[in-house]
Amino acid sequence: GENVEQHPSTLSVQEGDSAVIKCTYSDSASNYFPWYKQELGKRPQLIIDIRSNVGEKKDQRIAVTLNKTAKHFSLHITETQPEDSAVYFCAASFSSNTGKLIFGQGTTLQVKP
Amino acid sequence: NAGVTQTPKFQVLKTGQSMTLQCAQDMNHEYMSWYRQDPGMGLRLIHYSVGAGITDQGEVPNGYNVSRSTTEDFPLRLLSAAPSQTSVYFCASSGRSGSSGANVLTFGAGSRLTVL
């Protein structure tokens, strides 16, 4: 079945540094890869997503890269700020039309002032 | 629009009791799903529905039932609660709103369930 592995489970950086979170997926038919941010006690919210026909996508300080051959994708956050502290989840779907997502285990990011 | 509404927010059950977590969305989304969130295990898909009258199992369906009689509602039923079902439950619905044109999941606020 579909499986998504996410690393690292925890990540601590200094404010202003970059943070990278990596995910691998098992189903080569997966074609949609979103990233969600979950602040403490809140619901997950989409921060960026990418489809399999695109190798990289940027939105201000965040970017996602996709390597279909290796079946892995990464989230890059530059110039980190304390408000970036949260749990980040990657996910994969074999159909961008249904919204059925399989999530990674999550990464707790701590940005130290 | 209220988005995705879940009730109750908190619930404590005894082993063997039954209950229903309610989920309603007012965005006319076809797709709805239930996830459970446990520490270190991310969000695991329990059941999902691609439209009224259609449901299917996710990664961890055992011990849970769902039905989808209307587009708006997607209740999750625990028939005989077990301590292993202690978790935070999220309902979600999806419609086309992402910048990539894909269906984006919108989550409810979550329901924290404790089974003693």
Side-chain angles (χ1 to χ4, degrees):
Chain A
E2 302 149 322
N3 187 50
V4 178
E5 295 287 334
Q6 183 172 346
H7 300 280
S9 57
T10 60
L11 180 59
S12 181
V13 300
Q14 288 294 134
E15 182 177 358
D17 287 350
S18 296
V20 180
I21 303 170
K22 299 182 179 181
C23 290
T24 60
Y25 59 97
S26 61
D27 189 349
S28 57
S30 295
N31 59 14
Y32 174 61
F33 308 93
W35 287 87
Y36 283 77
K37 176 183 179 182
Q38 185 180 31
E39 298 177 345
L40 189 62
K42 301 290 183 63
R43 70 194 79 187
Q45 293 193 306
L46 178 75
I47 55 171
I48 194 168
D49 58 2
I50 191 170
R51 281 180 151 171
S52 59
N53 58 349
V54 176
E56 183 176 0
K57 184 176 179 181
K58 289 183 179 180
D59 184 4
Q60 298 182 356
R61 295 187 297 108
I62 60 173
V64 57
T65 59
L66 172 64
N67 183 326
K68 288 171 55 180
T69 302
K71 291 191 287 186
H72 67 69
F73 56 113
S74 300
L75 178 72
H76 304 254
I77 306 175
T78 59
E79 301 173 21
T80 53
Q81 301 168 3
E83 52 264 39
D84 294 329
S85 296
V87 180
Y88 291 82
F89 292 98
C90 62
S93 173
F94 64 87
S95 171
S96 62
N97 294 325
T98 65
K100 177 188 174 185
L101 296 178
I102 302 300
F103 283 84
Q105 296 86 349
T107 296
T108 300
L109 173 64
Q110 181 186 26
V111 180
K112 298 178 180 177
Chain B
N1 285 352
V4 179
T5 303
Q6 282 183 242
T7 56
K9 290 193 173 183
F10 301 95
Q11 183 72 48
V12 179
L13 291 177
K14 293 181 180 179
T15 297
Q17 287 185 318
S18 63
M19 77 157 299
T20 299
L21 297 176
Q22 302 291 343
C23 177
Q25 54 94 5
D26 60 0
M27 298 173 284
N28 201 31
H29 286 171
E30 288 295 318
Y31 181 89
M32 296 185 74
S33 54
W34 277 100
Y35 287 86
R36 61 177 288 174
Q37 183 173 25
D38 303 291
M41 303 191 75
L43 294 150
R44 292 183 292 170
L45 181 63
I46 305 172
H47 285 285
Y48 65 99
S49 169
V50 298
I54 306 170
T55 64
D56 205 348
Q57 296 181 349
E59 303 167 272
V60 288
N62 293 342
Y64 307 95
N65 280 351
V66 292
S67 60
R68 185 93 179 269
S69 56
T70 67
T71 299
E72 294 78 19
D73 300 299
F74 191 44
L76 178 72
R77 297 183 185 86
L78 285 71
L79 298 179
S80 180
S84 60
Q85 294 179 302
T86 293
S87 188
V88 178
Y89 292 84
F90 285 98
C91 179
S93 70
S94 75
R96 292 189 183 275
S97 57
S99 61
S100 63
N103 279 15
V104 174
L105 279 187
T106 298
F107 286 89
S111 300
R112 184 175 293 275
L113 175 66
T114 301
V115 183
L116 302 176

